[in-house]
Amino acid sequence: MAASMNTTLSLEENILRDITTQFFEMVPIRRMKWKTTPSIDDKDISPDMQRAVLKATVQHATCKQYPPSLSYQRAFVKSILHKLEDIDADICDEIYETYSDLLQQKEEEDDTLCYKTYTLPCGNTVSLQESVHLISQGTTGLSTWQAALHLAEWCSENSKFLENKRVMELGSGLGLTGITVCRKCQMKSYTFSDCHHQVLYLLMKNIETNFAKHTYLSQPTFTPSDIFPSTSKECTDKKDGRMMKSIRRQLSVNAEPSNPCNVSMCSDIMEISYTSTASSSYDDENSEDIFADQNDFHIESQNWVMDECLPGMYFFSQDERIRLLKYDWETSDDRMLWDIAPDIILAADVVYDKSIMPALVSVLRKLLSLEIENGQRATAFVASTIRNEDTRDHFLIVLANEGLTYEILDSPKKRMFHYEDTIPIEILKIQCPAGS
């Protein structure tokens, strides 16, 4: 789980902090760690402590601004009730009232999209809108995966590799790694990239949520109004609204009640297929598919400026060092890679299907063979959850066949986030030797 207890805080403050960070990251209820130390007596969970938990979670401003799924909030409060009843504790009225209020709330579009908020050691937060389903719309990119969290932790500890560099991330997904790295490290630029339209759209919105009115790289001290910008939950732009409605509707239509990837039953021990059919049954006659043309991704927002020379590249208007690129490994344009010419390439959980590895490694080979400055070449850091040894070994073979070298790096020493690590997570440093 997350980093060890902060010794500068009281026992109750540490417990409250751990419960709060797990709640906003939507850690599955069955995996939640309710106490940081066994020394606390269950009987000490006073009504005041119970109210403090409610105020720090379901009643907190973050929960209103960036709410976890309604079903998760209900399960969280219900779990608290059961735990208090099991120890015959004196339960405050607010617990019952809060649970009743949550039961009366109507779920929006089958609760298919929600927010997860990740707390950084400095106290700043990263809020991401995600799908509650691990695989949806034929892509794994609508959820944040363990390797992305792991890579973000590693980059935070090893920022020296990123200092004053041009960084490109392959398969950015919803942006957890990139947004965290931008908050923690000093870089020349950071290019987020992905190829799936719905992923790109939510990625764009997540970047706006976390960087609107901010400039990254300066590591400022944020006030509460900075951390939680006062943007309306309802989309005021009609196209924005239609896109969000389309995404929610498609996720809702394709959600299966027996799907093992829901919040309470999700399993990390699974094989992921790039051609997943989890979203194959979509009724085109009854819905407007905003994303029908997969070759025409275009951002119409005052927050983004299109690069006139690089098709599919957009600059964030409030800080042009933050960039968003529609990029498909299988239809890669070499000229685009030459124009971007990153010093560092990052990627997390992209090694999951043998069929896409030739395209992925080909892109890595092209990027790593570019001479950046003074004959130097770029370096890639790729984080992978080792769900299948054969898949991982195949990736290493493809790397070797392309003349690329790799070394396995040490894991980050401290945990920033709450995630399951029973399955090994590995970070590779990949390079292209000079002369090859």
Side-chain angles (χ1 to χ4, degrees), residues 163-392:
E163 293 292 333
N164 203 34
K165 302 294 186 183
R166 296 182 297 271
V167 181
M168 178 179 183
E169 184 181 2
L170 300 176
S172 297
L174 297 177
L176 184 280
T177 298
I179 293 171
T180 301
V181 168
C182 287
R183 284 276 179 87
K184 298 281 290 181
C185 305
Q186 304 279 341
M187 295 169 291
K188 283 185 179 179
S189 66
Y190 195 99
T191 301
F192 297 82
S193 73
D194 213 293
C195 67
H196 193 280
H197 279 204
Q198 294 184 342
V199 174
L200 283 165
Y201 180 75
L202 288 181
L203 173 58
M204 175 191 74
K205 302 305 292 182
N206 286 336
I207 293 172
E208 292 175 354
T209 294
N210 288 278
F211 292 122
K213 300 180 182 179
H214 307 328
T215 55
Y216 79 105
L217 307 179
S218 57
Q219 300 188 41
T221 300
F222 293 96
T223 65
S225 60
D226 289 329
I227 298 173
F228 311 118
S230 57
T231 55
S232 173
K233 181 182 176 182
E234 299 296 330
C235 296
T236 54
D237 180 80
K238 289 184 178 180
K239 187 171 183 180
D240 245 17
R242 286 191 296 119
M243 285 185 173
M244 291 306 302
K245 185 176 181 180
S246 175
I247 293 174
R248 287 183 179 275
R249 183 174 56 234
Q250 292 181 42
L251 292 173
S252 174
V253 168
N254 296 314
E256 299 179 10
S258 60
N259 188 346
C261 298
N262 60 39
V263 170
S264 61
M265 297 293 291
C266 102
S267 170
D268 298 322
I269 306 175
M270 60 184 295
E271 291 189 24
I272 307 165
S273 171
Y274 182 70
T275 56
S276 167
T277 57
S279 61
S280 58
S281 58
Y282 178 60
D283 186 354
D284 293 316
E285 295 181 359
N286 297 325
S287 304
E288 177 187 0
D289 188 357
I290 304 275
F291 305 94
D293 186 355
Q294 292 295 312
N295 295 315
D296 184 26
F297 177 76
H298 184 68
I299 296 177
E300 295 179 4
S301 168
Q302 62 180 3
N303 291 319
W304 296 90
V305 179
M306 183 171 62
D307 188 320
E308 296 181 357
C309 301
L310 261 176
M313 174 74 85
Y314 293 85
F315 298 94
F316 189 52
S317 61
Q318 298 188 38
D319 191 332
E320 291 192 354
R321 293 170 293 182
I322 300 177
R323 302 167 185 182
L324 177 62
L325 174 67
K326 179 186 182 297
Y327 184 66
D328 188 337
W329 309 333
E330 296 183 321
T331 58
S332 169
D333 185 343
D334 291 355
R335 292 171 299 177
M336 180 181 293
L337 300 180
W338 297 335
D339 288 337
I340 298 172
D343 304 292
I344 300 293
I345 299 98
L346 299 178
D349 253 328
V350 295
V351 180
Y352 53 82
D353 186 352
K354 294 179 181 179
S355 68
I356 63 170
M357 286 185 193
L360 169 60
V361 175
S362 175
V363 169
L364 286 174
R365 178 70 169 77
K366 293 171 184 175
L367 287 169
L368 296 176
S369 61
L370 293 175
E371 292 192 358
I372 310 302
E373 293 179 0
N374 301 322
Q376 298 294 314
R377 291 185 171 183
T379 301
F381 299 98
V382 178
S384 304
T385 304
I386 312 301
R387 303 178 182 89
N388 186 306
E389 291 283 351
D390 289 341
T391 304
R392 179 255 197 181

